[in-house]
Amino acid sequence: MANILVTGGAGYIGSHMTYALVDRGHSVTVVDNLSTGVRGLVAPQAEFVEGDIGDETLVRPLLRHRNIEAVIHFAGSVVVPDSVEQPLRYYNNNTMKSLTLIDACVQEGVGKFIFSSTAAVYGMGEDHPACESDEKSPINPYGRSKLMTEWILEDAAKAYDFRYVALRYFNVAGADPQGRTGQSTPRATHLIKKACQVALQRAPELEIFGGDFPTRDGTGIRDYIHVSDLIECHLLALDHLIKGGEPKVLNCGYGQGFSVREVVEAVSRQIGRPLPVRIAPRRAGDPAQLIANPSRIRSELGWRPAHADLSDIVASAYAWEQRQNA
Ligand code: UD1
């Protein structure tokens, strides 16, 4: 069993990761500055440290004194339109703080690193489904901030005793099947979360951001992946690094896209009545479609998703949201 540092472990995906690691008997330290994370979502078996990954004086002693073997790095800002309005905040939070963290790992001899990258590195998603080797031309500061971090990792791995897996997430949704954690970020922007909130009448209607994209029904298309399947990608990546595997960059998605309207239909089926919607202007920085080609992670890590079904994802997100309501 390994000593693992999870950054952003009080956040949506990081809290699922922490549960998965402690469930498998790993010893987990979570660092989170609680800017968007929720303390109550951190698995009770994990050690929680409130602090910032950009603070070298916090991170280096943590890595050293806790004999950290691997770092799984989730901490960062994730909202595409916010990154257009506040690019410098995104470059600071996502790129500069990651650089500080990676440097601390190199200095302290922590040579296994898993990074939360994004489908946003592909830009317009014109070549779709997107392969890892496709051209990277992000169209928003969020995607650029993550792509720069991928480059830092690539160069660090060439120069030092440091290996990493960068996982390019497509649209993560759903919640822990045991109901221990889920998407709880205040003012969440995710489509499926917001649709579930409308379904529970916590908002009057869902805005569809753009009805004139060049897609089959005019609304944006995304590849929605269940958070449990995404966590499995990380567990496989961790095993790969522990066994001495080489650096890798891998897509995490199912290879199947759904439009906003198709998601709305799935939520309507879940609640047995039509979800109220309204067409609103496009959001800044939104590409028309992003769909993964997941063959590399399937062949190289043997990933076999267990929840590749939109109704399953919606049901799990809805169950979590109902619990939040209660
Ligand atoms: C999400 C992730 C981002 C990741 C990207 C990969 C979040 C907050 N962002 O961004 O980190 O890199 O997937 O593809 O998880 N929409 C509406 N109405 C709404 C909300 C969204 O119409 O109320 C539309 C959007 O315009 C978009 C789609 O739904 O077409 C998905 O949006 P969203 O869930 O916000 O995720 P992304 O912006 O794709």
Side-chain angles (χ1 to χ4, degrees):
M1 290 303 109
N3 291 330
I4 296 171
L5 181 74
V6 176
T7 77
Y12 169 41
I13 306 172
S15 63
H16 286 84
M17 186 80 241
T18 303
Y19 271 109
L21 292 168
V22 299
D23 288 349
R24 282 160 186 76
H26 293 294
S27 164
V28 182
T29 302
V30 165
V31 180
D32 197 301
N33 65 9
L34 299 183
S35 59
T36 56
V38 178
R39 174 67 181 90
L41 297 184
V42 179
Q45 303 91 325
E47 291 260 9
F48 178 74
V49 178
E50 184 173 345
D52 200 297
I53 53 139
D55 179 359
E56 198 196 11
T57 61
L58 170 81
V59 174
R60 280 189 64 172
L62 264 185
L63 294 173
R64 194 177 325 137
H65 297 137
R66 291 172 194 241
N67 287 320
I68 298 294
E69 191 176 334
V71 171
I72 310 185
H73 176 34
F74 295 95
S77 304
V78 299
V79 181
V80 170
D82 288 357
S83 80
V84 177
E85 278 178 25
Q86 300 166 24
L88 301 185
R89 181 161 78 84
Y90 271 67
Y91 290 125
N92 185 42
N93 269 348
N94 291 355
T95 314
M96 290 180 47
K97 290 184 183 179
S98 294
L99 171 61
T100 303
L101 177 68
I102 294 162
D103 190 23
C105 288
V106 169
Q107 300 302 327
E108 297 297 333
V110 179
K112 303 179 190 74
F113 196 97
I114 300 176
F115 174 56
S116 305
S117 189
T118 172
V121 301
Y122 295 115
M124 293 301 287
E126 267 155 2
D127 296 323
H128 57 85
C131 291
E132 290 83 350
S133 55
D134 287 351
E135 192 195 339
K136 265 64 75 188
S137 43
I139 59 166
N140 48 57
Y142 171 67
R144 288 162 177 257
S145 72
K146 291 281 185 174
L147 183 57
M148 285 194 268
T149 308
E150 284 194 14
W151 289 337
I152 293 168
L153 289 167
E154 188 181 334
D155 291 337
K158 284 181 190 149
Y160 312 111
D161 180 15
F162 178 84
R163 289 171 299 114
Y164 73 96
V165 175
L167 296 173
R168 291 185 182 149
Y169 307 169
F170 284 67
N171 287 57
V172 189
D176 176 37
Q178 295 182 48
R180 298 171 296 182
T181 183
Q183 167 57 266
S184 303
T185 313
R187 296 178 303 283
T189 55
H190 300 71
L191 174 64
I192 292 181
K193 168 139 186 124
K194 284 179 70 183
C196 290
Q197 290 175 331
V198 174
L200 289 164
Q201 292 168 335
R202 277 196 266 143
E205 62 189 1
L206 180 80
E207 289 179 310
I208 296 181
F209 296 132
D212 57 353
F213 283 104
T215 58
R216 54 184 173 260
D217 63 14
T219 67
I221 291 181
R222 297 289 185 276
D223 187 340
Y224 294 91
I225 172 175
H226 194 293
V227 64
S228 300
D229 283 333
L230 180 77
I231 293 305
E232 184 63 23
C233 299
H234 293 73
L235 294 170
L236 293 167
L238 183 64
D239 284 349
H240 169 79
L241 291 173
I242 288 174
K243 282 191 231 137
E246 288 307 302
K248 283 188 188 295
V249 178
L250 301 166
N251 283 343
C252 300
Y254 296 141
Q256 197 182 2
F258 292 97
S259 72
V260 176
R261 285 202 183 279
E262 288 161 350
V263 170
V264 167
E265 280 160 26
V267 175
S268 301
R269 279 196 301 278
Q270 172 71 34
I271 58 174
R273 60 186 161 79
L275 195 75
V277 298
R278 174 172 69 84
I279 296 284
R282 289 185 186 192
R283 256 184 352 190
D286 270 354
Q289 80 175 349
L290 282 171
I291 302 171
N293 176 336
S295 8
R296 193 186 275 185
I297 190 161
R298 294 183 78 103
S299 66
E300 298 189 13
L301 295 186
W303 180 60
R304 293 292 175 270
H307 306 271
D309 177 73
L310 184 61
S311 312
D312 186 355
I313 294 175
V314 164
S316 122
Y318 186 71
W320 172 256
E321 216 52 48
Q322 269 181 316
R323 197 179 281 246
Q324 302 289 98
N325 249 23

